[in-house]
Amino acid sequence: TLRMLVPALLVLLFCFRGRADRSPHFLQQPEDLVVLLGEEARLPCVLGAYRGLVQWTKDGLALGGERDLPGWSRYWISGNAASGQHDLHIRPVELEDEALYECQATQAGLRSRPAQLHILVPPEAPQVLGGPSVSLVVGVPANLTCQSRGDARPVPELLWFRDGVRLDGTTFHQNLLKEGTTGSVESTLFFTPSSHDDGATLVCRARSQALPTGRDTAITLSLQYPPVVTLSAEPQTVPEGEKVTFLCQATAQPPVTGYRWAKGGSAVLGARGPRLEVVADASFLTEPVSCEVSNAVGSANRSTALDVLFGPILLAKPEPMSVDVGEDASFNCAWRGNPLPRVTWTRHGGAQVLSSGPTLRLQSVGPEDAGNYVCRAEPGLLGLGGGTAEARLTVNAPPVVTALHSAPAFLRGPARLQCLVFSSPAPEAVVWSWAEGFLEAGSRGRFLVETFPAPEGQGGQGPGLISVLHISGTQESDFSSGFNCSARNRLGEGGTQIHLDRRDLLPTVPMVAGVAAAATTILMAITVVALCCWHHSKAAASFSKQKNLVRIPGSSDGSSSRGPEEEETGSGEERGPIVHTDHSDLVLDEEGALETKDPTNGYYKVRGVSPPTSPDSCVTQLKSPGIFNLP
């Protein structure tokens, strides 16, 4: 049965198809079309199995059934009606032609699908505000605005180009009319011009589907910029005292209106033009010369410093230092020069270089490091400048006590012992001690202590003191035991021991005999001379009085040979003969003690302290010159 059913179905299908081919239908229907304004639009419509009336509608409005479409001068229908072709033509296309179009077979009741006709309107050439020459200022951010007006369809795209290269940094803005249609569009280019942009050409292009190649509008940039300054000095390297010429050159738009010169920030009075002449000195090394150039847009300046050659100049002297023994010490001195001076450190009076550079460091100093240190700068290339600066290093240490020479003393006579103390810091006390006790200052029994300033110590030992121990009426124990002179400060104590030497009286018997013999000889000589010269001069008597006289022991006429200024050497002793001698270097003090003349010419006589007695003296000088009193 299935085999019989299939042929029957095929026959029915063939019959139905043949009937369908004979009913009206669309062989080709219109489609959406895009046409440029002013061009021709063609909407196709082809019907099959239809011989009746065909018409077109525009937005539902019938255009008519005639082929030339009366009333629509730019519209017509073309094609072979017998073959069913009814194409709609519009030329030239205008904006009002944009609508929905349908092809209708009215007698068959057929309608084609609607076809939208789109009209494209090419954009007009854009406009750049401020063009065709736009004036800008270099370095100042600027906005360039390009506008496109009119009924361009679709809305055009605005692009910026320079030398054929598209520029970034733009924004796009669209203005709409009240009816919702496009009014205008604009594009803004944001950029900061530089001096290289002067005279450059920028292009704004309006481009759309209606005009893919676009329409261009070009502008030229005219840039104003503040002066671009170059400053030079001739010569750039110059010895101090030589002449230098500065030249200030500038390019500017608009032109330069003025120059201003300054040195180290202070205006150079009287300098107005592009040239400045000066005499170089050391200040130009640290105080640059600047040139400021101005125009209507702004100003710019440049500066340059000269390479001035000059010898070393002392800026900061080293400061004296006082440190404790074992500590570190350092000195600093600053020299200025160009080129940079070579600085060395030496000890005063020495040639050994201890350090190079502005700083001298001494580690763990000792007393031997005390003294003066010299900071020396060598002269510059031109042989100018240079010199030395000196500072003292004081090393604080325990006192150094030294015994000074003390003259021998007679038993029961006065004596004086001296010690020299150097100490930094100053001693807190200087103490004399002996077997019987000690004394720091003032008096105690037979002893008296006085302290005086001394000449400054060598090598930075610090201030010195001389301490004197006076003894009135020496005793045997003073010669047998020693005396200690000690001093102390916060760092320790130092001291020394001093022994008092004894001086004995001269032997009496041999001296008396010798003096008597000498006196006798002198008297005989005087007598002979006096007798010989008596008749020739009255001055013989005067001459005899000036000669030395000798008192012979046992002489009864003592009063005739004693002077009014004669003093005794002791009490309770028999007066011996008096001999006038020529020992003018012997002096007797107020207490009757015998002392020798100071061989140092008073070097140690400080504030009334008597000079030390020479240990080599073997005789004693009396207050009345030339008189020696024998016991």
Side-chain angles (χ1 to χ4, degrees):
T1 58
L2 182 60
R3 292 179 178 178
M4 295 176 61
L5 183 59
V6 172
L9 291 175
L10 290 176
V11 171
L12 290 175
L13 182 60
F14 177 78
C15 293
F16 179 78
R17 182 178 179 183
R19 187 176 178 182
D21 289 342
R22 292 192 297 269
S23 63
H25 59 278
F26 284 102
L27 298 177
Q28 183 179 6
Q29 299 187 54
E31 295 181 354
D32 294 345
L33 180 63
V34 177
V35 181
L36 286 177
L37 180 68
E39 299 293 327
E40 180 179 339
R42 173 179 171 274
L43 296 173
C45 179
V46 179
L47 292 168
Y50 181 74
R51 298 294 183 266
L53 178 65
V54 176
Q55 67 174 4
W56 285 85
T57 63
K58 175 184 177 182
D59 289 336
L61 177 65
L63 299 180
E66 292 83 359
R67 307 294 282 185
D68 55 357
L69 298 178
W72 303 88
S73 60
R74 296 178 294 105
Y75 290 58
W76 73 91
I77 298 175
S78 68
N80 187 353
S83 61
Q85 187 173 6
H86 307 276
D87 297 340
L88 177 61
H89 292 261
I90 306 174
R91 188 179 63 185
V93 173
E94 297 180 359
L95 291 178
E96 62 184 26
D97 298 329
E98 189 171 82
L100 283 174
Y101 292 87
E102 289 183 1
C103 178
Q104 298 178 353
T106 57
Q107 294 174 345
L110 293 178
R111 301 176 59 181
S112 69
R113 59 175 175 266
Q116 178 67 49
L117 177 60
H118 297 279
I119 308 299
L120 299 182
V121 180
E124 298 178 359
Q127 294 181 348
V128 179
L129 300 184
S133 179
V134 178
S135 180
L136 302 176
V137 178
V138 170
V140 178
N143 303 332
L144 295 179
T145 301
C146 178
Q147 294 180 339
S148 177
R149 297 180 179 276
D151 296 326
R153 298 182 185 184
V155 175
E157 179 184 19
L158 299 179
L159 305 175
W160 287 92
F161 293 87
R162 177 176 178 176
D163 299 330
V165 179
R166 182 175 174 179
L167 301 178
D168 296 326
T170 62
T171 60
F172 182 79
H173 180 70
Q174 179 176 328
N175 296 322
L176 299 178
L177 299 178
K178 293 181 179 180
E179 294 79 5
T181 59
T182 301
S184 66
V185 293
E186 65 182 31
S187 175
T188 302
L189 173 65
F190 299 93
F191 78 112
T192 301
S194 67
S195 58
H196 302 292
D197 297 324
D198 188 30
T201 299
L202 301 184
V203 173
C204 178
R205 178 175 298 168
R207 185 179 67 180
S208 71
Q209 183 183 359
L211 188 61
T213 57
R215 287 183 176 174
D216 296 342
T217 297
I219 61 169
T220 301
L221 299 182
S222 176
L223 294 182
Q224 294 183 344
Y225 51 91
V228 178
V229 182
T230 58
L231 178 61
S232 61
E234 183 61 36
Q236 190 72 37
T237 301
V238 58
E240 187 175 24
E242 296 294 324
K243 184 178 293 186
V244 179
T245 299
F246 292 90
L247 183 60
C248 185
Q249 296 175 309
T251 58
Q253 181 63 35
V256 171
T257 57
Y259 294 84
R260 180 179 178 272
W261 291 90
K263 174 178 175 285
S266 299
V268 179
L269 300 179
R272 292 290 182 268
R275 182 184 297 269
L276 175 67
E277 290 187 354
V278 298
V279 176
D281 57 37
S283 65
F284 283 88
L285 192 64
T286 55
E287 298 179 5
V289 172
S290 62
C291 172
E292 182 179 82
V293 185
S294 304
N295 70 352
V297 176
S299 63
N301 70 75
R302 289 292 181 270
S303 62
T304 184
L306 292 179
D307 186 18
V308 181
L309 304 178
F310 60 95
I313 300 172
L314 181 63
L315 296 181
K317 299 173 62 176
E319 297 293 334
M321 288 202 67
S322 177
V323 298
D324 292 348
V325 63
E327 294 182 349
D328 296 341
S330 64
F331 293 97
N332 292 282
C333 73
W335 294 84
R336 179 169 176 251
N338 186 33
L340 193 66
R342 179 176 180 266
V343 179
T344 58
W345 290 87
T346 59
R347 195 158 182 173
H348 180 78
Q352 181 183 2
V353 176
L354 304 177
S355 178
S356 296
T359 301
L360 170 65
R361 291 184 175 85
L362 302 174
Q363 296 181 341
S364 301
V365 298
E368 67 279 3
D369 296 316
N372 289 346
Y373 290 85
V374 179
C375 171
R376 182 185 308 276
E378 300 298 332
L381 295 178
L382 305 177
L384 302 176
T388 62
E390 194 167 320
R392 189 178 188 86
L393 174 63
T394 302
V395 179
N396 300 323
V400 177
V401 183
T402 306
L404 296 178
H405 175 74
S406 299
F410 292 107
L411 180 65
R412 292 185 296 278
R416 182 176 62 194
L417 302 177
Q418 301 178 101
C419 67
L420 178 61
V421 179
F422 285 115
S423 175
S424 178
E428 300 170 0
V430 179
V431 180
W432 287 90
S433 61
W434 59 95
E436 300 177 12
F438 66 91
L439 184 60
E440 180 177 340
S443 63
R444 178 182 177 184
R446 298 181 298 117
F447 302 95
L448 171 67
V449 172
E450 292 182 300
T451 303
F452 309 100
E456 191 171 358
Q458 299 297 321
Q461 287 180 294
L465 295 174
I466 294 179
S467 183
V468 182
L469 176 64
H470 298 275
I471 306 175
S472 60
T474 59
Q475 300 178 359
E476 289 289 348
S477 60
D478 297 336
F479 301 101
S480 60
S481 61
F483 293 82
N484 289 322
C485 177
S486 61
R488 68 176 183 274
N489 61 15
R490 62 179 177 82
L491 297 175
E493 184 174 353
T496 187
Q497 191 174 50
I498 305 175
H499 291 277
L500 178 63
D501 294 331
R502 181 171 178 174
R503 173 185 292 174
D504 294 327
L505 294 175
L506 296 175
T508 56
V509 175
M511 178 169 287
V512 169
V515 170
T520 302
T521 304
I522 293 174
L523 287 175
M524 292 176 63
I526 293 174
T527 302
V528 173
V529 172
L531 292 175
C532 293
C533 299
W534 178 260
H535 300 285
H536 301 283
S537 176
K538 294 182 180 182
S542 169
F543 175 81
S544 63
K545 289 181 182 181
Q546 295 176 3
K547 297 300 179 178
N548 296 329
L549 302 178
V550 178
R551 173 181 291 173
I552 306 300
S555 174
S556 61
D557 190 10
S559 62
S560 62
S561 61
R562 291 173 60 92
E565 297 178 4
E566 183 177 342
E567 294 183 352
E568 298 180 355
T569 60
S571 60
E573 297 183 4
E574 183 181 358
R575 298 180 184 272
I578 296 178
V579 181
H580 287 264
T581 71
D582 205 15
H583 296 284
S584 60
D585 62 334
L586 301 178
V587 179
L588 181 66
D589 65 6
E590 289 84 354
E591 299 296 330
L594 300 177
E595 290 186 305
T596 60
K597 187 176 180 180
D598 181 12
T600 65
N601 294 322
Y603 180 82
Y604 288 104
K605 187 172 288 185
V606 182
R607 297 188 181 178
V609 178
S610 300
T613 305
S614 171
D616 298 330
S617 301
C618 60
V619 294
T620 308
Q621 198 176 31
L622 302 179
K623 273 191 175 181
S624 181
I627 300 177
F628 187 84
N629 193 11
L630 298 176

